Amino acid sequence: KAGVTQTPRYLIKTRGQQVTLSCSPISGHRSVSWYQQTPGQGLQFLFEYFSETQRNKGNFPGRFSGRQFSNSRSEMNVSTLELGDSALYLCASSHGQGIADTQYFGPGTRLTVL
Amino acid sequence: DQQVKQNSPSLSVQEGRISILNCDYTNSMFDYFLWYKKYPAEGPTFLISISSIKDKNEDGRFTVFLNKSAKHLSLHIVPSQPGDSAVYFCAASALNAGGTSYGKLTFGQGTILTVHP
């Protein structure tokens, strides 16, 4: 079974630009969650999508948005990039139901904002 | 407010010995706990999990213990191997009213484990 894939693996952008990251979940998983990892803040939850609906959202500004498609693939968009948005962005997939719902992570997209 | 804490930034262990990684939490609503292993610039790899109805779960060399009254969990690795050297994160989730954790894991800051040959 293929794991979670993320594209691109690396991105370099300049302040003010926008960026779109993509995540393909494990086959059969309907939930995709996004996280940001930075040295100062650690791993922080951005949002979660299930069956094309955002079910949960973390404490990030509205510049961070996402969506999910009918095949469960998900995209995350960051508009008006700031230097502080430089981070490793991780997506994780799971079944999205039940108590013991384990999330499996992709390799991440390393975003550098100059 | 850090709801999941790993108070030891690093741990050094000799090959073949036991590694014990600790994690404390403050949110009594957490009821599912996971351990992940992570290498730099890679995504976390799931290791083992435990739900709040259990106090122990084993999988090969890995055992997780949960003490709900103390709001404490630990990961034991026996025997430790040099390939276990990585950053270990504990994570927790809470059921919402509907009975499903809506994708939000709260992570600790991680512990760097180094296993010396």
Side-chain angles (χ1 to χ4, degrees):
Chain A
K1 208 175 199 182
V4 179
T5 58
Q6 291 187 247
T7 57
R9 291 295 311 277
Y10 302 93
L11 264 179
I12 299 176
K13 293 286 187 178
T14 56
R15 277 182 299 173
Q17 287 187 309
Q18 75 165 18
V19 67
T20 299
L21 313 181
S22 181
C23 173
S24 292
I26 291 170
S27 178
H29 285 185
R30 295 167 65 189
S31 169
V32 173
S33 299
W34 288 89
Y35 295 83
Q36 180 196 65
Q37 185 185 25
T38 59
Q41 298 298 319
L43 277 151
Q44 292 190 293
F45 173 77
L46 282 155
F47 32 65
E48 187 255 8
Y49 285 85
F50 179 84
S51 292
E52 302 180 66
T53 300
Q54 185 182 89
R55 290 195 304 186
N56 202 355
K57 190 176 187 307
N59 297 324
F60 279 81
R63 299 185 298 106
F64 292 83
S65 63
R67 58 177 176 168
Q68 187 180 34
F69 302 93
S70 58
N71 61 358
S72 294
R73 190 178 70 84
S74 177
E75 287 182 347
M76 189 190 98
N77 184 274
V78 188
S79 62
T80 320
L81 284 166
E82 300 177 0
L83 294 178
D85 296 333
S86 294
L88 181 66
Y89 289 89
L90 295 157
C91 82
S93 77
S94 70
H95 291 291
Q97 294 172 305
I99 298 173
D101 189 38
T102 299
Q103 293 184 25
Y104 297 88
F105 284 81
T109 294
R110 169 66 65 181
L111 172 64
T112 302
V113 182
L114 302 175
Chain B
D1 175 28
Q2 203 172 345
Q3 298 185 49
V4 178
K5 295 181 183 179
Q6 294 176 254
N7 292 316
S8 298
S10 63
L11 175 67
S12 184
V13 170
Q14 207 66 30
E15 181 179 7
R17 308 294 287 267
I18 184 171
S19 295
I20 300 176
L21 298 107
N22 294 302
C23 181
D24 297 296
Y25 62 96
T26 57
N27 188 343
S28 58
M29 298 300 291
F30 287 147
D31 50 19
Y32 187 54
F33 304 89
L34 309 92
W35 284 94
Y36 289 88
K37 172 182 175 181
K38 188 179 185 301
Y39 296 110
E42 293 185 12
T45 300
F46 170 71
L47 284 174
I48 192 168
S49 62
I50 189 167
S51 68
S52 58
I53 60 173
K54 295 185 175 182
D55 55 17
K56 178 183 172 181
N57 189 26
E58 279 182 88
D59 185 1
R61 296 186 297 115
F62 301 93
T63 303
V64 57
F65 296 91
L66 175 62
N67 183 332
K68 282 180 291 184
S69 60
K71 293 191 177 67
H72 176 85
L73 64 154
S74 61
L75 174 67
H76 292 209
I77 306 174
V78 184
S80 301
Q81 300 172 354
D84 296 331
S85 298
V87 181
Y88 287 78
F89 290 93
C90 70
S93 67
L95 286 180
N96 64 12
T100 303
S101 171
Y102 283 173
K104 180 179 179 179
L105 290 177
T106 302
F107 283 86
Q109 291 297 99
T111 297
I112 301 170
L113 173 65
T114 304
V115 181
H116 299 284

